[in-house]
Amino acid sequence: MLPCKPTEKYRFFLSPKKVDKTPLIMQTALELSSQPDIKLIVVSLGGFDEVQNYTLAQFCQENNIKHIYFKNLAKFPHGVKQIKKYDIVIVDTVSRKPCEAELIFDISFYRWMSKQVSASFVLVTQEPRSFVEQTCFGDLPITQIIYQD
């Protein structure tokens, strides 16, 4: 069973700082890539965590999963043209501290994107739902919350 079953073409994975969502993204991508009728691509957004970006890119290469990297969010809307042919697009976003200035910008971008394309949002967190709702993450139409220990 998929740890995170995509319900929309674009599936954005979000998390606060210090929560590692990469293993969940890799597991989801691996399970989806084993389904013969699904064309899958994994997108890494942002150049802030080079180690995680490299880890995910290496994993995709080793498992024959298409991977693309956009150094900043401004490049993503233009890149949508490159990834239109895929059935499912898993998007690894930059982890941020709740309500830091960059996260507020990111959230406004994700809200805009959700109006442009069919998107859903997965939040990987260690915090209770009430905390999530009081932060900037609460401004998004979160589809699924996955709690990590």
Side-chain angles (χ1 to χ4, degrees):
M1 176 153 175
L2 286 172
C4 175
K5 183 175 171 62
T7 57
E8 307 287 350
K9 177 173 179 149
Y10 293 86
R11 188 73 167 180
F12 289 81
F13 281 76
L14 311 161
S15 70
K17 275 273 196 223
K18 298 185 180 178
V19 176
D20 187 7
K21 62 191 174 300
T22 304
L24 179 65
I25 292 169
M26 291 189 301
Q27 184 180 359
T28 302
L30 192 60
E31 291 189 33
L32 285 169
S33 69
S34 69
Q35 298 178 20
D37 296 337
I38 293 181
K39 290 174 72 175
L40 169 73
I41 188 168
V42 176
V43 176
S44 293
L45 283 183
F48 302 99
D49 191 339
E50 298 296 335
V51 173
Q52 293 297 44
N53 287 340
Y54 175 78
T55 301
L56 192 54
Q58 189 69 26
F59 167 83
C60 288
Q61 182 179 10
E62 290 169 0
N63 290 283
N64 203 25
I65 299 169
K66 180 69 175 162
H67 178 265
I68 193 167
Y69 169 74
F70 296 105
K71 189 157 181 116
N72 61 53
L73 291 177
K75 304 271 186 203
F76 186 69
H78 304 292
V80 169
K81 294 174 191 167
Q82 296 174 20
I83 54 183
K84 274 191 172 182
K85 65 182 176 183
Y86 294 92
D87 301 318
I88 297 176
V89 180
I90 295 176
V91 183
D92 181 19
T93 64
V94 177
S95 298
R96 304 264 195 215
K97 292 179 183 174
C99 288
E100 68 179 322
E102 290 88 354
L103 177 62
I104 294 168
F105 171 79
D106 291 355
I107 297 263
S108 64
F109 172 80
Y110 301 141
R111 288 175 63 87
W112 177 82
M113 277 302 299
S114 71
K115 293 175 183 160
Q116 310 305 312
V117 297
S118 176
S120 56
F121 299 90
V122 178
L123 179 63
V124 183
T125 186
Q126 298 171 334
E127 303 295 338
R129 185 177 196 89
S130 59
F131 174 81
V132 170
E133 290 170 353
Q134 294 170 10
T135 67
C136 296
F137 290 113
D139 293 339
L140 278 172
I142 301 293
T143 311
Q144 182 177 8
I145 298 177
I146 298 174
Y147 294 97
Q148 284 187 348
D149 296 332

PDB file of all heavy atoms in Angstrom, residues 8-23:
ATOM      1  N   GLU A   8      -4.191  13.696  -7.019  1.00  0.00           N
ATOM      2  CA  GLU A   8      -4.132  14.704  -8.057  1.00  0.00           C
ATOM      3  C   GLU A   8      -2.862  14.492  -8.881  1.00  0.00           C
ATOM      4  O   GLU A   8      -1.944  13.803  -8.448  1.00  0.00           O
ATOM      5  CB  GLU A   8      -4.086  16.111  -7.443  1.00  0.00           C
ATOM      6  CG  GLU A   8      -5.196  16.408  -6.459  1.00  0.00           C
ATOM      7  CD  GLU A   8      -6.548  16.617  -7.110  1.00  0.00           C
ATOM      8  OE1 GLU A   8      -6.596  16.714  -8.350  1.00  0.00           O
ATOM      9  OE2 GLU A   8      -7.543  16.663  -6.389  1.00  0.00           O
ATOM     10  N   LYS A   9      -2.811  15.096 -10.046  1.00  0.00           N
ATOM     11  CA  LYS A   9      -1.618  14.960 -10.891  1.00  0.00           C
ATOM     12  C   LYS A   9      -0.385  15.501 -10.166  1.00  0.00           C
ATOM     13  O   LYS A   9       0.656  14.870 -10.141  1.00  0.00           O
ATOM     14  CB  LYS A   9      -1.814  15.689 -12.213  1.00  0.00           C
ATOM     15  CG  LYS A   9      -0.576  15.635 -13.084  1.00  0.00           C
ATOM     16  CD  LYS A   9      -0.789  16.206 -14.452  1.00  0.00           C
ATOM     17  CE  LYS A   9       0.515  16.130 -15.218  1.00  0.00           C
ATOM     18  NZ  LYS A   9       0.330  15.959 -16.626  1.00  0.00           N
ATOM     19  N   TYR A  10      -0.489  16.671  -9.580  1.00  0.00           N
ATOM     20  CA  TYR A  10       0.622  17.292  -8.862  1.00  0.00           C
ATOM     21  C   TYR A  10       0.436  17.054  -7.376  1.00  0.00           C
ATOM     22  O   TYR A  10      -0.580  17.431  -6.804  1.00  0.00           O
ATOM     23  CB  TYR A  10       0.699  18.795  -9.144  1.00  0.00           C
ATOM     24  CG  TYR A  10       1.069  19.092 -10.566  1.00  0.00           C
ATOM     25  CD1 TYR A  10       0.095  19.148 -11.558  1.00  0.00           C
ATOM     26  CD2 TYR A  10       2.393  19.289 -10.925  1.00  0.00           C
ATOM     27  CE1 TYR A  10       0.437  19.405 -12.879  1.00  0.00           C
ATOM     28  CE2 TYR A  10       2.737  19.548 -12.247  1.00  0.00           C
ATOM     29  CZ  TYR A  10       1.754  19.598 -13.208  1.00  0.00           C
ATOM     30  OH  TYR A  10       2.086  19.848 -14.514  1.00  0.00           O
ATOM     31  N   ARG A  11       1.446  16.446  -6.754  1.00  0.00           N
ATOM     32  CA  ARG A  11       1.382  16.127  -5.330  1.00  0.00           C
ATOM     33  C   ARG A  11       2.563  16.801  -4.645  1.00  0.00           C
ATOM     34  O   ARG A  11       3.701  16.404  -4.812  1.00  0.00           O
ATOM     35  CB  ARG A  11       1.451  14.607  -5.168  1.00  0.00           C
ATOM     36  CG  ARG A  11       1.211  14.114  -3.794  1.00  0.00           C
ATOM     37  CD  ARG A  11      -0.263  14.242  -3.456  1.00  0.00           C
ATOM     38  NE  ARG A  11      -0.528  13.470  -2.255  1.00  0.00           N
ATOM     39  CZ  ARG A  11      -1.689  13.378  -1.707  1.00  0.00           C
ATOM     40  NH1 ARG A  11      -2.717  13.979  -2.221  1.00  0.00           N
ATOM     41  NH2 ARG A  11      -1.861  12.682  -0.623  1.00  0.00           N
ATOM     42  N   PHE A  12       2.298  17.887  -3.930  1.00  0.00           N
ATOM     43  CA  PHE A  12       3.334  18.661  -3.248  1.00  0.00           C
ATOM     44  C   PHE A  12       3.556  18.094  -1.847  1.00  0.00           C
ATOM     45  O   PHE A  12       2.610  17.973  -1.070  1.00  0.00           O
ATOM     46  CB  PHE A  12       2.915  20.132  -3.121  1.00  0.00           C
ATOM     47  CG  PHE A  12       2.934  20.881  -4.420  1.00  0.00           C
ATOM     48  CD1 PHE A  12       1.879  20.785  -5.309  1.00  0.00           C
ATOM     49  CD2 PHE A  12       4.007  21.699  -4.751  1.00  0.00           C
ATOM     50  CE1 PHE A  12       1.892  21.483  -6.510  1.00  0.00           C
ATOM     51  CE2 PHE A  12       4.021  22.400  -5.950  1.00  0.00           C
ATOM     52  CZ  PHE A  12       2.965  22.289  -6.822  1.00  0.00           C
ATOM     53  N   PHE A  13       4.800  17.753  -1.536  1.00  0.00           N
ATOM     54  CA  PHE A  13       5.157  17.295  -0.197  1.00  0.00           C
ATOM     55  C   PHE A  13       5.771  18.467   0.552  1.00  0.00           C
ATOM     56  O   PHE A  13       6.764  19.039   0.104  1.00  0.00           O
ATOM     57  CB  PHE A  13       6.162  16.141  -0.266  1.00  0.00           C
ATOM     58  CG  PHE A  13       5.533  14.817  -0.589  1.00  0.00           C
ATOM     59  CD1 PHE A  13       5.133  14.524  -1.882  1.00  0.00           C
ATOM     60  CD2 PHE A  13       5.339  13.866   0.399  1.00  0.00           C
ATOM     61  CE1 PHE A  13       4.556  13.301  -2.189  1.00  0.00           C
ATOM     62  CE2 PHE A  13       4.762  12.644   0.106  1.00  0.00           C
ATOM     63  CZ  PHE A  13       4.370  12.357  -1.190  1.00  0.00           C
ATOM     64  N   LEU A  14       5.195  18.806   1.696  1.00  0.00           N
ATOM     65  CA  LEU A  14       5.637  19.937   2.504  1.00  0.00           C
ATOM     66  C   LEU A  14       6.068  19.429   3.868  1.00  0.00           C
ATOM     67  O   LEU A  14       5.557  18.413   4.345  1.00  0.00           O
ATOM     68  CB  LEU A  14       4.483  20.930   2.704  1.00  0.00           C
ATOM     69  CG  LEU A  14       3.716  21.356   1.461  1.00  0.00           C
ATOM     70  CD1 LEU A  14       2.375  21.944   1.834  1.00  0.00           C
ATOM     71  CD2 LEU A  14       4.532  22.370   0.689  1.00  0.00           C
ATOM     72  N   SER A  15       6.948  20.171   4.520  1.00  0.00           N
ATOM     73  CA  SER A  15       7.285  19.833   5.906  1.00  0.00           C
ATOM     74  C   SER A  15       7.958  21.025   6.568  1.00  0.00           C
ATOM     75  O   SER A  15       8.603  21.833   5.906  1.00  0.00           O
ATOM     76  CB  SER A  15       8.214  18.621   5.983  1.00  0.00           C
ATOM     77  OG  SER A  15       9.499  18.950   5.504  1.00  0.00           O
ATOM     78  N   PRO A  16       7.788  21.112   7.902  1.00  0.00           N
ATOM     79  CA  PRO A  16       8.569  22.107   8.639  1.00  0.00           C
ATOM     80  C   PRO A  16      10.037  21.684   8.657  1.00  0.00           C
ATOM     81  O   PRO A  16      10.366  20.532   8.376  1.00  0.00           O
ATOM     82  CB  PRO A  16       7.984  22.061  10.055  1.00  0.00           C
ATOM     83  CG  PRO A  16       6.780  21.200   9.989  1.00  0.00           C
ATOM     84  CD  PRO A  16       6.870  20.390   8.748  1.00  0.00           C
ATOM     85  N   LYS A  17      10.910  22.614   9.007  1.00  0.00           N
ATOM     86  CA  LYS A  17      12.342  22.308   9.134  1.00  0.00           C
ATOM     87  C   LYS A  17      12.543  21.116  10.056  1.00  0.00           C
ATOM     88  O   LYS A  17      11.780  20.899  10.971  1.00  0.00           O
ATOM     89  CB  LYS A  17      13.089  23.490   9.751  1.00  0.00           C
ATOM     90  CG  LYS A  17      13.514  24.527   8.761  1.00  0.00           C
ATOM     91  CD  LYS A  17      14.849  24.163   8.192  1.00  0.00           C
ATOM     92  CE  LYS A  17      15.455  25.349   7.514  1.00  0.00           C
ATOM     93  NZ  LYS A  17      16.066  25.062   6.270  1.00  0.00           N
ATOM     94  N   LYS A  18      13.583  20.355   9.785  1.00  0.00           N
ATOM     95  CA  LYS A  18      14.030  19.221  10.595  1.00  0.00           C
ATOM     96  C   LYS A  18      13.107  18.007  10.518  1.00  0.00           C
ATOM     97  O   LYS A  18      13.206  17.110  11.330  1.00  0.00           O
ATOM     98  CB  LYS A  18      14.252  19.633  12.051  1.00  0.00           C
ATOM     99  CG  LYS A  18      15.329  20.684  12.194  1.00  0.00           C
ATOM    100  CD  LYS A  18      15.623  20.985  13.632  1.00  0.00           C
ATOM    101  CE  LYS A  18      16.705  22.054  13.685  1.00  0.00           C
ATOM    102  NZ  LYS A  18      17.040  22.467  14.999  1.00  0.00           N
ATOM    103  N   VAL A  19      12.184  17.984   9.576  1.00  0.00           N
ATOM    104  CA  VAL A  19      11.370  16.794   9.337  1.00  0.00           C
ATOM    105  C   VAL A  19      11.788  16.265   7.971  1.00  0.00           C
ATOM    106  O   VAL A  19      11.668  16.957   6.971  1.00  0.00           O
ATOM    107  CB  VAL A  19       9.857  17.109   9.372  1.00  0.00           C
ATOM    108  CG1 VAL A  19       9.052  15.878   9.014  1.00  0.00           C
ATOM    109  CG2 VAL A  19       9.455  17.632  10.744  1.00  0.00           C
ATOM    110  N   ASP A  20      12.279  15.048   7.943  1.00  0.00           N
ATOM    111  CA  ASP A  20      12.813  14.470   6.711  1.00  0.00           C
ATOM    112  C   ASP A  20      11.704  13.757   5.948  1.00  0.00           C
ATOM    113  O   ASP A  20      11.304  12.654   6.306  1.00  0.00           O
ATOM    114  CB  ASP A  20      13.955  13.513   7.038  1.00  0.00           C
ATOM    115  CG  ASP A  20      14.668  13.011   5.796  1.00  0.00           C
ATOM    116  OD1 ASP A  20      14.357  13.503   4.688  1.00  0.00           O
ATOM    117  OD2 ASP A  20      15.533  12.137   5.939  1.00  0.00           O
ATOM    118  N   LYS A  21      11.249  14.383   4.877  1.00  0.00           N
ATOM    119  CA  LYS A  21      10.191  13.789   4.055  1.00  0.00           C
ATOM    120  C   LYS A  21      10.753  12.991   2.887  1.00  0.00           C
ATOM    121  O   LYS A  21      10.024  12.285   2.204  1.00  0.00           O
ATOM    122  CB  LYS A  21       9.217  14.856   3.570  1.00  0.00           C
ATOM    123  CG  LYS A  21       9.831  15.922   2.684  1.00  0.00           C
ATOM    124  CD  LYS A  21       8.858  17.048   2.478  1.00  0.00           C
ATOM    125  CE  LYS A  21       9.462  18.184   1.727  1.00  0.00           C
ATOM    126  NZ  LYS A  21      10.606  18.819   2.318  1.00  0.00           N
ATOM    127  N   THR A  22      12.056  13.041   2.667  1.00  0.00           N
ATOM    128  CA  THR A  22      12.667  12.359   1.529  1.00  0.00           C
ATOM    129  C   THR A  22      12.386  10.855   1.508  1.00  0.00           C
ATOM    130  O   THR A  22      12.026  10.324   0.460  1.00  0.00           O
ATOM    131  CB  THR A  22      14.180  12.644   1.474  1.00  0.00           C
ATOM    132  OG1 THR A  22      14.371  14.066   1.437  1.00  0.00           O
ATOM    133  CG2 THR A  22      14.824  12.027   0.247  1.00  0.00           C
ATOM    134  N   PRO A  23      12.520  10.129   2.628  1.00  0.00           N
ATOM    135  CA  PRO A  23      12.217   8.686   2.576  1.00  0.00           C
ATOM    136  C   PRO A  23      10.768   8.392   2.150  1.00  0.00           C
ATOM    137  O   PRO A  23      10.523   7.451   1.407  1.00  0.00           O
ATOM    138  CB  PRO A  23      12.479   8.196   4.002  1.00  0.00           C
ATOM    139  CG  PRO A  23      13.430   9.187   4.567  1.00  0.00           C
ATOM    140  CD  PRO A  23      13.061  10.501   3.936  1.00  0.00           C
TER     141      PRO A  23
END
